Amino acid sequence: MPQMLQLLAKGALLSTLLNCSKHKLQSQLPNAYCLFIVCDKECLQWRLQYTDSINDRLLNVNGQLISIPQALITFAASPSCPKRHDVDIQTVSSWKHWQPFLQDHGFTDVSMVSVSDDQGSIYLMLAFQREKNRLEDELMMLALDAYEAWLCAIFEREKADHLLLEDSHRDPSTGLLRRYSFENSFGIVLKDSRRHFQRAALLSILLHSSSKVNDAELKALADVMSDTVRDNDLIAHYDEHELVMGIRIQHLEDAEVVAAKLLKSLSCPEFSKNRLVRGGLSIGIAFYPEHSSLESLYQAASFAAHSLKNITGYRLEFHGECYESSAGFYTL
């Protein structure tokens, strides 16, 4: 256990932690054969974690499990009962699919434990025993308890690492990117745009409300913004009263379509009690390659947003001037 805790504390790779727990269990059960299986929560996809000269009988030429005993499917589908002992398995119909495997190796009993990783996978360990070397149930239960505790700790560590990573990149109150993460990600968008001669737009969204921002109301606004753009577009919470959006576009008018769609969505009756939305917002839009860096894009978009002087709507910055529509860019 100290070795496992040390590995967990150091944040070892998932595969390293799982391998360590496997070796620990096998050292505790020298007279049992341990089989490690992973399946999805629907119990439709099954695979062996580790293959060897004993369990290869269970696999087809493509390395997939040929069949799954009904007893194992029932067990995996019952998370409320994470441990189970089956005896006389060579004669039980629910294990009939593995009869050749069981008889060839003389396995008469199996003890099982299941642990969910809370990411859609179930990790199963099956300890097969022979009658002459069978452990007392209490001792086997201790081994299953230890294995379950190890895997729960491993998955808890994985979950904590994921949350810490997400929290470092996203504002937990809105789910939107933090400023530095947005800048890093949008920098990649600009590099791609240069490489492939594509367009991009940056939108600065200023919230008119001067009161302290309510997290629930801001989250509602963030959700609408997320629904307005595509999955690979970027949205960030820049400051308490400012949000930004970075979007890939093909034509200049695409950006104002997004801005108009956002304003229309926020005018729906469901936002009538949202003080943040009711206070109004101004949207400024700037374009790449008219501005070649994030800093110049942001300054131009912010300039366009402030030009509205706290009036709800949007303005487009183009070569130092602000316009109500892209249609005005080329008029004399």
Side-chain angles (χ1 to χ4, degrees):
M1 186 58 78
Q3 183 184 1
M4 283 295 296
L5 289 174
Q6 189 176 40
L7 286 171
L8 283 166
K10 289 182 176 179
L13 294 173
L14 176 62
S15 59
T16 301
L17 292 168
L18 292 174
N19 285 336
C20 182
S21 62
K22 167 184 177 285
H23 294 315
K24 287 284 187 185
L25 184 71
Q26 289 177 325
S27 68
Q28 289 186 344
L29 302 172
N31 293 320
Y33 173 70
C34 297
L35 187 68
F36 301 87
I37 299 177
V38 183
C39 73
D40 63 331
K41 61 183 179 181
E42 286 80 23
C43 300
L44 298 175
Q45 304 293 326
W46 298 75
R47 64 177 175 85
L48 288 183
Q49 275 184 269
Y50 313 98
T51 56
D52 54 41
S53 59
I54 295 178
N55 63 39
D56 61 2
R57 250 320 272 277
L58 301 173
L59 305 175
N60 61 22
V61 292
N62 296 319
Q64 300 168 321
L65 284 165
I66 297 172
S67 58
I68 309 298
Q70 185 57 48
L72 185 53
I73 297 173
T74 302
F75 173 64
S78 307
S80 59
C81 300
K83 300 181 191 70
R84 172 170 161 172
H85 301 280
D86 280 10
V87 298
D88 298 324
I89 53 178
Q90 290 188 16
T91 60
V92 177
S93 61
S94 58
W95 285 95
K96 65 181 180 181
H97 293 306
W98 283 5
Q99 287 306 317
F101 167 75
L102 301 175
Q103 291 170 4
D104 285 353
H105 298 287
F107 298 140
T108 58
D109 301 76
V110 64
S111 300
M112 302 181 284
V113 60
S114 71
V115 184
S116 171
D117 67 353
D118 292 328
Q119 300 294 320
S121 295
I122 302 170
Y123 286 70
L124 305 158
M125 191 288 294
L126 287 67
F128 292 98
Q129 298 186 89
R130 300 173 179 90
E131 181 63 34
K132 62 179 180 179
N133 296 321
R134 189 173 179 275
L135 275 179
E136 292 292 332
D137 289 347
E138 292 79 5
L139 293 176
M140 178 58 74
M141 185 59 72
L142 282 175
L144 298 186
D145 286 343
Y147 185 74
E148 181 185 27
W150 292 336
L151 259 64
C152 285
I154 290 168
F155 296 142
E156 198 63 34
R157 172 66 199 226
E158 285 288 300
K159 191 190 306 180
D161 284 348
H162 177 74
L163 290 174
L164 287 170
L165 180 64
E166 283 294 300
D167 283 351
S168 70
H169 288 281
R170 295 183 179 275
D171 181 341
S173 63
T174 63
L176 301 181
L177 291 169
R178 295 185 187 276
R179 182 170 187 147
Y180 78 90
S181 294
F182 174 87
E183 291 173 350
N184 288 338
S185 298
F186 195 67
I188 296 172
V189 171
L190 292 181
K191 287 180 181 178
D192 287 343
S193 298
R194 293 188 190 101
R195 186 178 298 115
H196 301 293
F197 303 100
Q198 296 173 338
R199 279 195 169 277
L202 188 78
L203 284 70
S204 170
I205 300 168
L206 301 180
L207 308 178
H208 297 168
S209 174
S210 58
S211 59
K212 183 174 176 58
V213 173
N214 177 281
D215 283 347
E217 293 180 337
L218 183 60
K219 180 65 167 63
L221 173 58
D223 288 344
V224 173
M225 291 172 64
S226 298
D227 290 339
T228 302
V229 296
R230 296 160 298 191
D231 291 340
N232 63 348
D233 291 325
L234 305 168
I235 310 174
H237 190 185
Y238 246 43
D239 202 346
E240 187 177 16
H241 290 84
E242 182 183 15
L243 301 108
V244 294
M245 297 169 62
I247 60 175
R248 297 171 176 83
I249 58 174
Q250 290 186 331
H251 309 287
L252 293 173
E253 57 267 25
D254 293 345
E256 59 187 301
V257 168
V258 170
K261 182 180 176 182
L262 175 59
L263 292 173
K264 182 178 179 180
S265 298
L266 294 175
S267 66
C268 294
E270 62 186 281
F271 292 103
S272 60
K273 295 182 180 180
N274 187 312
R275 293 170 300 174
L276 190 63
V277 174
R278 205 168 60 230
L281 50 88
S282 299
I283 303 174
I285 305 172
F287 300 97
Y288 170 85
E290 281 69 26
H291 298 280
S292 60
S293 69
L294 173 59
E295 182 180 1
S296 59
L297 275 165
Y298 173 67
Q299 290 176 353
S302 180
F303 165 66
H306 281 96
S307 72
L308 283 160
K309 302 187 185 302
N310 288 343
I311 297 173
T312 295
Y314 64 86
R315 288 289 186 274
L316 297 88
E317 192 279 346
F318 195 68
H319 294 293
E321 300 292 335
C322 291
Y323 298 86
E324 294 183 9
S325 167
S326 59
F329 290 173
Y330 306 107
T331 57
L332 297 177

Short mmCIF file of all heavy atoms in Angstrom, two decimals, residues 203-252:
data_model
loop_
_atom_site.label_atom_id
_atom_site.label_comp_id
_atom_site.label_asym_id
_atom_site.label_seq_id
_atom_site.Cartn_x
_atom_site.Cartn_y
_atom_site.Cartn_z
N LEU A 203 -14.57 38.74 -31.69
CA LEU A 203 -15.70 39.52 -31.19
C LEU A 203 -15.47 39.87 -29.73
O LEU A 203 -15.19 38.99 -28.91
CB LEU A 203 -17.01 38.73 -31.31
CG LEU A 203 -17.64 38.60 -32.70
CD1 LEU A 203 -16.80 37.69 -33.60
CD2 LEU A 203 -19.05 38.03 -32.58
N SER A 204 -15.53 41.15 -29.42
CA SER A 204 -15.47 41.63 -28.03
C SER A 204 -16.89 41.96 -27.58
O SER A 204 -17.58 42.75 -28.24
CB SER A 204 -14.57 42.87 -27.93
OG SER A 204 -14.70 43.45 -26.64
N ILE A 205 -17.32 41.35 -26.50
CA ILE A 205 -18.70 41.53 -26.03
C ILE A 205 -18.66 42.23 -24.68
O ILE A 205 -18.23 41.66 -23.67
CB ILE A 205 -19.41 40.17 -25.92
CG1 ILE A 205 -19.41 39.50 -27.31
CG2 ILE A 205 -20.83 40.32 -25.39
CD1 ILE A 205 -19.81 38.05 -27.29
N LEU A 206 -19.09 43.48 -24.65
CA LEU A 206 -19.08 44.28 -23.43
C LEU A 206 -20.45 44.25 -22.77
O LEU A 206 -21.47 44.51 -23.42
CB LEU A 206 -18.71 45.74 -23.75
CG LEU A 206 -17.35 45.98 -24.42
CD1 LEU A 206 -17.16 47.47 -24.68
CD2 LEU A 206 -16.22 45.44 -23.56
N LEU A 207 -20.47 43.93 -21.48
CA LEU A 207 -21.72 43.90 -20.73
C LEU A 207 -21.96 45.27 -20.12
O LEU A 207 -21.10 45.81 -19.42
CB LEU A 207 -21.63 42.83 -19.63
CG LEU A 207 -21.19 41.43 -20.10
CD1 LEU A 207 -21.09 40.48 -18.91
CD2 LEU A 207 -22.16 40.88 -21.13
N HIS A 208 -23.12 45.83 -20.37
CA HIS A 208 -23.41 47.19 -19.91
C HIS A 208 -23.67 47.27 -18.42
O HIS A 208 -23.48 48.31 -17.81
CB HIS A 208 -24.62 47.77 -20.65
CG HIS A 208 -24.40 47.90 -22.12
ND1 HIS A 208 -25.42 48.16 -23.01
CD2 HIS A 208 -23.27 47.82 -22.88
CE1 HIS A 208 -24.94 48.22 -24.23
NE2 HIS A 208 -23.64 48.01 -24.18
N SER A 209 -24.13 46.21 -17.82
CA SER A 209 -24.47 46.21 -16.40
C SER A 209 -23.24 46.60 -15.57
O SER A 209 -22.16 46.04 -15.76
CB SER A 209 -24.97 44.83 -15.97
OG SER A 209 -25.17 44.78 -14.58
N SER A 210 -23.44 47.52 -14.66
CA SER A 210 -22.32 47.97 -13.81
C SER A 210 -22.30 47.26 -12.47
O SER A 210 -21.36 47.41 -11.69
CB SER A 210 -22.43 49.49 -13.58
OG SER A 210 -23.68 49.81 -12.98
N SER A 211 -23.35 46.49 -12.18
CA SER A 211 -23.41 45.77 -10.90
C SER A 211 -22.56 44.51 -10.97
O SER A 211 -22.14 44.07 -12.05
CB SER A 211 -24.86 45.41 -10.56
OG SER A 211 -25.41 44.61 -11.58
N LYS A 212 -22.31 43.90 -9.82
CA LYS A 212 -21.51 42.68 -9.77
C LYS A 212 -22.22 41.59 -10.56
O LYS A 212 -23.42 41.39 -10.45
CB LYS A 212 -21.31 42.25 -8.32
CG LYS A 212 -20.42 41.00 -8.18
CD LYS A 212 -20.13 40.71 -6.74
CE LYS A 212 -19.32 39.42 -6.61
NZ LYS A 212 -18.05 39.46 -7.34
N VAL A 213 -21.46 40.90 -11.37
CA VAL A 213 -22.03 39.89 -12.25
C VAL A 213 -22.48 38.67 -11.46
O VAL A 213 -21.74 38.14 -10.63
CB VAL A 213 -21.01 39.47 -13.32
CG1 VAL A 213 -21.53 38.29 -14.14
CG2 VAL A 213 -20.68 40.64 -14.23
N ASN A 214 -23.73 38.26 -11.70
CA ASN A 214 -24.26 37.06 -11.07
C ASN A 214 -23.84 35.84 -11.88
O ASN A 214 -24.03 35.79 -13.08
CB ASN A 214 -25.80 37.17 -11.00
CG ASN A 214 -26.45 35.93 -10.43
OD1 ASN A 214 -26.60 34.94 -11.14
ND2 ASN A 214 -26.83 35.99 -9.18
N ASP A 215 -23.28 34.85 -11.19
CA ASP A 215 -22.73 33.68 -11.89
C ASP A 215 -23.79 32.94 -12.70
O ASP A 215 -23.54 32.51 -13.82
CB ASP A 215 -22.09 32.71 -10.89
CG ASP A 215 -20.72 33.19 -10.41
OD1 ASP A 215 -20.18 34.14 -11.03
OD2 ASP A 215 -20.20 32.64 -9.43
N ALA A 216 -24.98 32.79 -12.13
CA ALA A 216 -26.04 32.06 -12.82
C ALA A 216 -26.47 32.80 -14.09
O ALA A 216 -26.70 32.17 -15.14
CB ALA A 216 -27.23 31.86 -11.90
N GLU A 217 -26.57 34.11 -14.01
CA GLU A 217 -26.96 34.89 -15.19
C GLU A 217 -25.85 34.88 -16.24
O GLU A 217 -26.14 34.82 -17.44
CB GLU A 217 -27.28 36.32 -14.75
CG GLU A 217 -28.53 36.41 -13.88
CD GLU A 217 -28.86 37.83 -13.45
OE1 GLU A 217 -27.94 38.68 -13.42
OE2 GLU A 217 -30.03 38.09 -13.13
N LEU A 218 -24.60 34.92 -15.78
CA LEU A 218 -23.49 34.86 -16.71
C LEU A 218 -23.41 33.50 -17.39
O LEU A 218 -23.12 33.39 -18.58
CB LEU A 218 -22.17 35.16 -15.98
CG LEU A 218 -20.91 35.21 -16.85
CD1 LEU A 218 -21.04 36.30 -17.91
CD2 LEU A 218 -19.68 35.44 -16.00
N LYS A 219 -23.70 32.44 -16.62
CA LYS A 219 -23.70 31.09 -17.18
C LYS A 219 -24.76 30.96 -18.28
O LYS A 219 -24.54 30.33 -19.31
CB LYS A 219 -23.97 30.07 -16.08
CG LYS A 219 -23.98 28.60 -16.56
CD LYS A 219 -22.61 28.17 -17.06
CE LYS A 219 -22.51 26.66 -17.24
NZ LYS A 219 -23.40 26.13 -18.24
N ALA A 220 -25.94 31.58 -18.06
CA ALA A 220 -26.99 31.54 -19.07
C ALA A 220 -26.54 32.23 -20.35
O ALA A 220 -26.79 31.74 -21.47
CB ALA A 220 -28.25 32.21 -18.53
N LEU A 221 -25.82 33.36 -20.21
CA LEU A 221 -25.29 34.07 -21.37
C LEU A 221 -24.22 33.21 -22.07
O LEU A 221 -24.19 33.11 -23.30
CB LEU A 221 -24.70 35.41 -20.94
CG LEU A 221 -23.94 36.22 -22.01
CD1 LEU A 221 -24.84 36.50 -23.21
CD2 LEU A 221 -23.40 37.51 -21.42
N ALA A 222 -23.35 32.59 -21.28
CA ALA A 222 -22.30 31.74 -21.84
C ALA A 222 -22.88 30.58 -22.62
O ALA A 222 -22.37 30.21 -23.68
CB ALA A 222 -21.40 31.23 -20.72
N ASP A 223 -23.97 30.00 -22.12
CA ASP A 223 -24.60 28.87 -22.81
C ASP A 223 -25.16 29.30 -24.16
O ASP A 223 -25.05 28.56 -25.15
CB ASP A 223 -25.72 28.29 -21.94
CG ASP A 223 -25.19 27.54 -20.73
OD1 ASP A 223 -23.98 27.21 -20.72
OD2 ASP A 223 -25.97 27.30 -19.79
N VAL A 224 -25.76 30.49 -24.22
CA VAL A 224 -26.29 30.99 -25.49
C VAL A 224 -25.17 31.25 -26.47
O VAL A 224 -25.26 30.92 -27.66
CB VAL A 224 -27.12 32.28 -25.26
CG1 VAL A 224 -27.52 32.89 -26.60
CG2 VAL A 224 -28.35 31.98 -24.45
N MET A 225 -24.08 31.81 -25.97
CA MET A 225 -22.93 32.06 -26.84
C MET A 225 -22.38 30.75 -27.40
O MET A 225 -22.04 30.67 -28.58
CB MET A 225 -21.85 32.81 -26.07
CG MET A 225 -22.22 34.23 -25.70
SD MET A 225 -21.02 35.03 -24.60
CE MET A 225 -19.57 35.08 -25.63
N SER A 226 -22.31 29.73 -26.57
CA SER A 226 -21.80 28.43 -27.01
C SER A 226 -22.71 27.82 -28.06
O SER A 226 -22.25 27.17 -29.00
CB SER A 226 -21.67 27.49 -25.81
OG SER A 226 -20.73 27.98 -24.88
N ASP A 227 -24.02 28.01 -27.91
CA ASP A 227 -24.98 27.48 -28.88
C ASP A 227 -24.93 28.23 -30.21
O ASP A 227 -25.33 27.70 -31.25
CB ASP A 227 -26.40 27.55 -28.32
CG ASP A 227 -26.63 26.57 -27.18
OD1 ASP A 227 -25.85 25.59 -27.09
OD2 ASP A 227 -27.55 26.79 -26.39
N THR A 228 -24.45 29.47 -30.16
CA THR A 228 -24.44 30.32 -31.35
C THR A 228 -23.31 29.95 -32.31
O THR A 228 -23.43 30.13 -33.52
CB THR A 228 -24.29 31.80 -30.94
OG1 THR A 228 -25.38 32.15 -30.07
CG2 THR A 228 -24.33 32.73 -32.15
N VAL A 229 -22.21 29.42 -31.76
CA VAL A 229 -21.04 29.14 -32.59
C VAL A 229 -20.83 27.63 -32.72
O VAL A 229 -21.50 26.83 -32.07
CB VAL A 229 -19.77 29.80 -32.01
CG1 VAL A 229 -19.93 31.31 -32.03
CG2 VAL A 229 -19.51 29.30 -30.59
N ARG A 230 -19.87 27.24 -33.55
CA ARG A 230 -19.54 25.83 -33.73
C ARG A 230 -18.64 25.34 -32.61
O ARG A 230 -18.05 26.14 -31.88
CB ARG A 230 -18.84 25.64 -35.08
CG ARG A 230 -19.73 25.97 -36.28
CD ARG A 230 -18.89 26.24 -37.51
NE ARG A 230 -18.02 27.40 -37.31
CZ ARG A 230 -17.33 27.99 -38.28
NH1 ARG A 230 -17.40 27.53 -39.50
NH2 ARG A 230 -16.56 29.03 -38.03
N ASP A 231 -18.53 24.03 -32.50
CA ASP A 231 -17.76 23.44 -31.41
C ASP A 231 -16.29 23.84 -31.44
O ASP A 231 -15.65 23.92 -30.39
CB ASP A 231 -17.87 21.90 -31.46
CG ASP A 231 -19.26 21.41 -31.10
OD1 ASP A 231 -20.01 22.18 -30.47
OD2 ASP A 231 -19.59 20.26 -31.46
N ASN A 232 -15.74 24.06 -32.63
CA ASN A 232 -14.31 24.38 -32.70
C ASN A 232 -14.03 25.87 -32.62
O ASN A 232 -12.87 26.29 -32.73
CB ASN A 232 -13.68 23.78 -33.97
CG ASN A 232 -14.28 24.37 -35.24
OD1 ASN A 232 -15.31 25.05 -35.18
ND2 ASN A 232 -13.65 24.12 -36.37
N ASP A 233 -15.05 26.70 -32.43
CA ASP A 233 -14.85 28.12 -32.18
C ASP A 233 -14.56 28.33 -30.70
O ASP A 233 -14.84 27.46 -29.87
CB ASP A 233 -16.07 28.93 -32.63
CG ASP A 233 -16.23 28.94 -34.15
OD1 ASP A 233 -15.21 28.96 -34.85
OD2 ASP A 233 -17.38 28.91 -34.63
N LEU A 234 -14.03 29.48 -30.36
CA LEU A 234 -13.52 29.71 -29.00
C LEU A 234 -14.27 30.85 -28.31
O LEU A 234 -14.56 31.87 -28.92
CB LEU A 234 -12.02 30.05 -29.07
CG LEU A 234 -11.14 29.03 -29.79
CD1 LEU A 234 -9.75 29.62 -30.05
CD2 LEU A 234 -11.02 27.76 -28.95
N ILE A 235 -14.55 30.65 -27.04
CA ILE A 235 -15.19 31.69 -26.24
C ILE A 235 -14.46 31.79 -24.91
O ILE A 235 -14.11 30.78 -24.30
CB ILE A 235 -16.67 31.36 -25.97
CG1 ILE A 235 -17.41 30.99 -27.25
CG2 ILE A 235 -17.38 32.55 -25.30
CD1 ILE A 235 -18.83 30.52 -27.03
N ALA A 236 -14.23 33.00 -24.46
CA ALA A 236 -13.50 33.19 -23.19
C ALA A 236 -14.15 34.26 -22.34
O ALA A 236 -14.81 35.18 -22.83
CB ALA A 236 -12.05 33.56 -23.46
N HIS A 237 -13.97 34.12 -21.04
CA HIS A 237 -14.37 35.13 -20.06
C HIS A 237 -13.13 35.97 -19.80
O HIS A 237 -12.24 35.58 -19.06
CB HIS A 237 -14.85 34.43 -18.78
CG HIS A 237 -15.51 35.36 -17.81
ND1 HIS A 237 -15.93 34.96 -16.58
CD2 HIS A 237 -15.82 36.68 -17.89
CE1 HIS A 237 -16.47 35.98 -15.93
NE2 HIS A 237 -16.41 37.03 -16.72
N TYR A 238 -13.05 37.14 -20.43
CA TYR A 238 -11.84 37.96 -20.37
C TYR A 238 -11.76 38.75 -19.07
O TYR A 238 -10.74 38.83 -18.42
CB TYR A 238 -11.83 38.91 -21.56
CG TYR A 238 -10.72 38.64 -22.55
CD1 TYR A 238 -10.41 37.32 -22.93
CD2 TYR A 238 -9.98 39.67 -23.13
CE1 TYR A 238 -9.42 37.06 -23.84
CE2 TYR A 238 -8.98 39.40 -24.06
CZ TYR A 238 -8.71 38.11 -24.41
OH TYR A 238 -7.72 37.84 -25.31
N ASP A 239 -12.84 39.40 -18.76
CA ASP A 239 -12.89 40.26 -17.58
C ASP A 239 -14.29 40.14 -17.01
O ASP A 239 -15.15 39.50 -17.60
CB ASP A 239 -12.59 41.71 -17.99
CG ASP A 239 -12.09 42.55 -16.83
OD1 ASP A 239 -12.22 42.09 -15.68
OD2 ASP A 239 -11.56 43.65 -17.07
N GLU A 240 -14.54 40.77 -15.87
CA GLU A 240 -15.86 40.59 -15.25
C GLU A 240 -16.98 41.05 -16.16
O GLU A 240 -18.05 40.45 -16.19
CB GLU A 240 -15.93 41.36 -13.92
CG GLU A 240 -17.22 41.06 -13.17
CD GLU A 240 -17.29 41.74 -11.82
OE1 GLU A 240 -16.51 42.66 -11.58
OE2 GLU A 240 -18.16 41.34 -11.02
N HIS A 241 -16.76 42.10 -16.93
CA HIS A 241 -17.81 42.63 -17.80
C HIS A 241 -17.46 42.52 -19.28
O HIS A 241 -17.97 43.28 -20.10
CB HIS A 241 -18.10 44.10 -17.44
CG HIS A 241 -18.78 44.26 -16.12
ND1 HIS A 241 -18.09 44.31 -14.92
CD2 HIS A 241 -20.10 44.33 -15.78
CE1 HIS A 241 -18.94 44.43 -13.92
NE2 HIS A 241 -20.16 44.45 -14.41
N GLU A 242 -16.61 41.55 -19.63
CA GLU A 242 -16.27 41.38 -21.04
C GLU A 242 -16.04 39.90 -21.35
O GLU A 242 -15.42 39.17 -20.59
CB GLU A 242 -15.01 42.16 -21.41
CG GLU A 242 -14.66 42.04 -22.89
CD GLU A 242 -13.36 42.75 -23.24
OE1 GLU A 242 -12.59 43.08 -22.32
OE2 GLU A 242 -13.12 42.95 -24.45
N LEU A 243 -16.59 39.48 -22.49
CA LEU A 243 -16.33 38.15 -23.03
C LEU A 243 -15.84 38.30 -24.46
O LEU A 243 -16.12 39.32 -25.11
CB LEU A 243 -17.60 37.30 -23.00
CG LEU A 243 -18.23 37.10 -21.61
CD1 LEU A 243 -19.52 37.92 -21.53
CD2 LEU A 243 -18.52 35.64 -21.35
N VAL A 244 -15.10 37.33 -24.93
CA VAL A 244 -14.61 37.39 -26.31
C VAL A 244 -14.91 36.08 -27.02
O VAL A 244 -14.99 35.02 -26.40
CB VAL A 244 -13.09 37.69 -26.38
CG1 VAL A 244 -12.78 39.06 -25.85
CG2 VAL A 244 -12.30 36.63 -25.63
N MET A 245 -15.05 36.18 -28.32
CA MET A 245 -15.28 35.00 -29.16
C MET A 245 -14.30 35.04 -30.32
O MET A 245 -14.10 36.10 -30.93
CB MET A 245 -16.71 34.98 -29.71
CG MET A 245 -17.79 34.87 -28.64
SD MET A 245 -19.47 35.18 -29.29
CE MET A 245 -19.63 33.84 -30.46
N GLY A 246 -13.70 33.92 -30.61
CA GLY A 246 -12.84 33.80 -31.78
C GLY A 246 -13.46 32.78 -32.72
O GLY A 246 -13.69 31.64 -32.31
N ILE A 247 -13.74 33.18 -33.94
CA ILE A 247 -14.44 32.28 -34.85
C ILE A 247 -13.73 32.23 -36.20
O ILE A 247 -13.12 33.20 -36.64
CB ILE A 247 -15.91 32.70 -35.07
CG1 ILE A 247 -16.00 34.10 -35.67
CG2 ILE A 247 -16.69 32.63 -33.77
CD1 ILE A 247 -17.42 34.54 -36.01
N ARG A 248 -13.82 31.08 -36.85
CA ARG A 248 -13.33 30.94 -38.21
C ARG A 248 -14.45 31.31 -39.17
O ARG A 248 -15.59 30.86 -38.98
CB ARG A 248 -12.87 29.49 -38.46
CG ARG A 248 -11.70 29.06 -37.58
CD ARG A 248 -11.48 27.57 -37.72
NE ARG A 248 -10.33 27.10 -36.97
CZ ARG A 248 -10.33 26.80 -35.67
NH1 ARG A 248 -11.45 26.92 -34.97
NH2 ARG A 248 -9.23 26.37 -35.07
N ILE A 249 -14.15 32.09 -40.19
CA ILE A 249 -15.18 32.51 -41.13
C ILE A 249 -14.66 32.34 -42.56
O ILE A 249 -13.46 32.23 -42.79
CB ILE A 249 -15.59 33.98 -40.90
CG1 ILE A 249 -14.38 34.91 -41.04
CG2 ILE A 249 -16.27 34.16 -39.56
CD1 ILE A 249 -14.71 36.39 -40.98
N GLN A 250 -15.60 32.33 -43.50
CA GLN A 250 -15.22 32.30 -44.92
C GLN A 250 -15.41 33.67 -45.55
O GLN A 250 -14.64 34.08 -46.40
CB GLN A 250 -16.07 31.26 -45.65
CG GLN A 250 -15.72 29.82 -45.29
CD GLN A 250 -16.48 28.83 -46.15
OE1 GLN A 250 -17.60 29.10 -46.62
NE2 GLN A 250 -15.88 27.67 -46.38
N HIS A 251 -16.46 34.37 -45.10
CA HIS A 251 -16.79 35.69 -45.65
C HIS A 251 -16.94 36.69 -44.50
O HIS A 251 -17.29 36.32 -43.38
CB HIS A 251 -18.08 35.63 -46.47
CG HIS A 251 -18.07 34.53 -47.50
ND1 HIS A 251 -17.33 34.59 -48.65
CD2 HIS A 251 -18.72 33.33 -47.52
CE1 HIS A 251 -17.51 33.48 -49.35
NE2 HIS A 251 -18.35 32.70 -48.69
N LEU A 252 -16.71 37.95 -44.79
CA LEU A 252 -16.79 38.98 -43.76
C LEU A 252 -18.17 39.02 -43.11
O LEU A 252 -18.29 39.23 -41.90
CB LEU A 252 -16.45 40.35 -44.37
CG LEU A 252 -15.00 40.54 -44.84
CD1 LEU A 252 -14.84 41.86 -45.55
CD2 LEU A 252 -14.05 40.46 -43.65
#
